[in-house]
């Protein structure tokens, strides 16, 4: 829906400087909300937003206030149960003047104080200022769909939807955190609350911060998604998908050809039969190309299928811009096709639904198969599937300057709480899903002023999934057992019986062919900043072995290319 930013103000601060700083922060988020800017400033706080108008386009300007304007709110996201909450608030005597979902937030706060966010069904990052008791609240949704970064500086709290907005207000940029960069090489992402920079944190899923008297007085940490009494999964999902389409602008759907996005597309076909379906293809008959299956499903559903073709030349041409939008290094190779796909989406729609989040709740990933049989080596096998660079593999290759950072990371236990399929999935929901997947979903859709929504992460669906046993999630190497049962008869048998294939692009093939020289020029022939973290001779070994087909090092090479682009920009 938009981007938000702001900061608390000290008595000695120059008000004219505060206005200028706030404008710079919101200006850096223009791509997230090209339709309008909203500002609020008083002697204690500065709040700003950029709006992407999707619901009640003419009346939904921010900030939002209560009746006497003592509670001020800016927010990013969508609240899907806003109609029900609006009715409840009206019955309690609250006056609301628009159909915009965000207008309910200050009134909800009046009713439930710092617990108001537990009533929300949606994706959100919220900043709320109570002018009466001088209380400031930051909170994000329980799945971590919408990002929010913050830092404390000279008794100030500064926050924004994107890191780049924090840097726009001036002052020296904080140094890169070597522990975070090494975490990236290990996990393929930087787990929250860490960020690439020292002194800056990213809010965890479900986290709430309360700021009073120039200090944090409460940090509720991550609130786990609650359980439910169940229900019919088919009905729950259909309702979740249908109600996630709320918008005054046209809605579409992203389709990879896999089960999750196919479920979303099938429901959309009944609800919005004219909605366009978008997918990605690649030149040549490459294994990563699933457009045959996506097009086949669309034909059976009677839907229009729009395909974007991504070639090897698109990778170096767009990587710098993609990394800039992501804000954090992210090894996920699909960032390139996803970015280019959303560019095409923008030409037709402003909202798209995706299938993200299903694997983490319904046991879909192939690496989860290590838990199908009881074994004392399950955790090691899971780590082998999940990790990119093993720390012991890289120990001799790290430069001396970052040896201390390496020792700190090596001393940490990777998975202290994992002992089963369910605990493994819980870890991924807490750390990997927000940083590796949802950061890409948010940043690369908002890069084009498109809002991507994830119906599989609606509370009714996730609460149902949390009730499922390991046997209902996976059974004899079959993933998503319960999900497939729910849509058997509603989706074609050929799709339900397909072996799961990750949504990716042919990076391994291209790094052996068209992109081999580019990877060498980037990582070997120049003074790449990755050499401060990984020895150049080790990088050369990875590239040579991959090109000779002695091993598939494509994901490691790709991670270093992303890291190189990120460090050169920062």
């Amino acid at each position: 829906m938009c981007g938000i930013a702001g900061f608390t103000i000290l008595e000695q601060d120059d008000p004219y400087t505060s206005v200028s700083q706030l404008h710079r922060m919101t200006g850096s988020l223009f791509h997230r909300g090209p339709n309008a800017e909203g500002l609020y400033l008083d002697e204690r706080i500065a709040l700003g937003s950029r709006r992407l108008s999707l619901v009640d386009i003419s009346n939904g300007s921010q900030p939002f206030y209560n009746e006497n304007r003592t509670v001020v709110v800016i927010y990013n996201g969508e609240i899907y149960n806003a109609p029900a909450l609006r009715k409840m608030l009206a019955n309690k005597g609250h006056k609301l003047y628009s159909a915009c979902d965000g207008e309910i937030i200050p009134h909800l706060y009046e009713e439930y104080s710092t617990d108001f966010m537990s009533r929300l069904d949606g994706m959100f990052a919220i900043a709320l200022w109570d002018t009466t008791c001088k209380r400031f609240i930051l909170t994000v949704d329980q799945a971590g769909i919408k990002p929010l970064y913050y830092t404390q500086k000279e008794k100030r709290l500064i926050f924004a939807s994107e890191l780049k907005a924090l840097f726009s207000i001036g002052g020296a940029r904080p140094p890169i955190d070597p522990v975070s960069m090494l975490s990236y090489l290990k996990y393929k992402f930087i787990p929250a609350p860490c960020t690439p920079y020292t002194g800056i944190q990213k809010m965890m899923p479900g986290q709430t911060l309360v700021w009073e008297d120039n200090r944090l007085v409460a940090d509720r940490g991550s609130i786990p998604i609650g359980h439910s009494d169940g229900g019919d999964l088919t009905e729950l999902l259909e309702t979740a998908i249908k109600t996630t389409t709320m918008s005054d602008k046209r809605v579409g759907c992203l389709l990879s050809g896999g089960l999750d996005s196919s479920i979303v597309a099938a429901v959309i076909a009944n609800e919005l039969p004219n909605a366009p379906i978008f997918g990605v293809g690649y030149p040549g008959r490459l294994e990563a190309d699933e457009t045959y299956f996506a097009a086949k499903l669309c034909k059976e559903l009677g839907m229009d299928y729009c395909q974007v073709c991504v070639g090897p030349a698109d990778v170096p041409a767009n990587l710098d811009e993609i990394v800039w939008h992501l804000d954090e290094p992210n090894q996920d190779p699909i960032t390139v096709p996803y970015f280019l796909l959303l560019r095409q989406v923008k030409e037709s729609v402003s909202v798209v639904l995706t299938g993200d989040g299903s694997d983490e709740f319904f046991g879909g990933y192939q690496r989860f198969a290590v838990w199908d049989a009881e074994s004392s080596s399950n955790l090691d096998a899971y780590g082998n599937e999940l990790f990119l660079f093993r720390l012991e593999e890289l120990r001799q290759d790290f430069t001396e300057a970052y040896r201390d950072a390496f020792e700190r990371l090596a001393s940490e236990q990777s998975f202290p709480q994992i002992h089963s399929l369910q605990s493994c999935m819980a870890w991924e929901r807490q750390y990997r899903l927000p940083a590796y997947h949802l950061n890409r979903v948010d940043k690369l859709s908002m890069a084009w002023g498109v809002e991507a929504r994830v119906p599989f992460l609606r509370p009714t669906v996730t609460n149902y999934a949390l009730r499922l046993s390991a046997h209902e999630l996976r059974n004899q190497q079959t993933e998503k057992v319960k999900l497939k049962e729910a849509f058997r008869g509603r989706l074609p048998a050929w799709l339900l019986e397909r072996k799961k294939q990750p949504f990716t692009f042919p990076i391994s093939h291209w790094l052996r062919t068209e992109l081999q020289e580019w990877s060498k020029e980037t990582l070997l022939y120049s003074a790449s900043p990755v050499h401060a973290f990984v020895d150049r001779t080790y990088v050369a070994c990875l590239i040579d072995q991959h090109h000779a087909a002695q091993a598939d090092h494509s994901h490691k090479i790709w991670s270093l290319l992303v890291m190189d682009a990120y460090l050169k920009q920062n």
Side-chain angles (χ1 to χ4, degrees), residues 400-534:
E400 289 296 328
Y402 293 96
R403 185 76 63 181
D404 290 344
F406 171 79
E407 296 292 349
R408 283 171 54 195
L409 189 63
S411 66
E412 298 176 359
Q413 189 175 353
S414 300
F415 305 121
Q417 70 276 54
I418 293 181
H419 52 80
S420 65
L421 173 62
Q422 282 93 337
S423 58
C424 153
M425 291 167 60
W427 185 90
E428 294 213 11
R429 291 191 295 266
Q430 184 79 344
Y431 297 104
R432 192 175 190 273
L433 175 61
Y436 191 68
H437 294 291
L438 298 180
N439 187 61
R440 177 250 309 162
V441 171
D442 174 84
K443 301 284 182 58
L444 297 188
S445 60
M446 296 308 296
W448 300 107
V450 174
E451 182 168 271
R453 300 177 181 173
V454 281
F456 276 100
L457 295 181
R458 295 284 297 277
T460 51
V461 179
T462 58
N463 292 346
Y464 180 97
L466 290 175
R467 297 174 57 252
L468 300 177
S469 66
H471 185 75
E472 291 173 302
L473 295 168
R474 302 185 57 86
N475 186 13
Q476 297 179 350
Q477 300 293 307
T478 299
E479 75 281 353
K480 299 180 183 175
V481 173
K482 201 70 174 180
L483 197 57
K484 289 181 177 180
E485 287 179 1
F487 282 85
R488 196 169 299 280
R490 296 173 181 251
L491 288 174
W494 61 262
L495 190 147
L496 293 171
E497 294 166 3
R498 274 193 71 206
K499 182 180 179 182
K500 178 177 174 56
Q501 180 172 326
F503 177 35
T504 184
F505 82 137
I507 187 62
S508 179
H509 174 72
W510 287 348
L511 284 174
R512 285 195 176 112
T513 53
E514 291 96 331
L515 297 181
Q516 183 207 1
E517 192 60 29
W518 170 68
S519 66
K520 284 186 175 182
E521 290 177 357
T522 303
L523 298 176
L524 300 180
Y525 300 159
S526 61
S528 172
V530 303
H531 298 160
F533 294 87
V534 185

Side-chain angles (χ1 to χ4, degrees), residues 189-203:
F189 61 92
I190 298 174
C194 297
T195 70
Y197 295 91
T198 58
I200 298 179
Q201 293 184 293
K202 185 176 183 179
M203 292 187 70

